[in-house]
Amino acid sequence: VLKKAYRYNKNVIAVLANGAVLSLGEVKRNSAAIVETYYAGQAEGRALAMLLSGETNPCGRLAETFVKKCCRRGKRRGDLLS
């Protein structure tokens, strides 16, 4: 769905509502922006509407790190990512 939407309109904003590790390669290639709501709670819908409409400016920080790749070639199994 994301690929088709991006093909017709390059102004696609991908909104992610999750609490786990994701591979974002396909999302990054097929969207102009990515918004991660993570654990937004009950007010997620209103907060997202305020953000996307420009009514508010995001200033929060995530407690997690999002890696560019989930693994590197040549690393032994069990090695930590570096």
Side-chain angles (χ1 to χ4, degrees):
V1 173
L2 186 61
K3 246 186 215 184
K4 285 184 180 183
Y6 189 69
R7 190 178 323 142
Y8 294 106
N9 185 349
K10 301 295 183 203
N11 295 319
V12 171
I13 298 173
V15 178
L16 307 176
N18 61 287
V21 177
L22 297 174
S23 176
L24 299 177
E26 194 73 22
V27 175
K28 186 178 175 183
R29 283 188 296 277
N30 294 294
S31 59
I34 299 173
V35 175
E36 173 62 78
T37 61
Y38 216 56
Y39 293 118
Q42 269 185 293
E44 179 177 5
R46 171 110 173 97
L48 188 57
M50 290 172 64
L51 174 72
L52 294 177
S53 69
E55 188 177 330
T56 189
N57 187 13
C59 60
R61 302 290 185 261
L62 292 174
E64 303 291 329
T65 299
F66 293 86
V67 296
K68 190 170 184 176
K69 291 185 179 184
C70 63
C71 58
R72 290 186 174 178
R73 289 185 198 163
K75 292 282 187 178
R76 291 189 315 262
R77 190 178 182 149
D79 284 350
L80 294 175
L81 293 174
S82 58

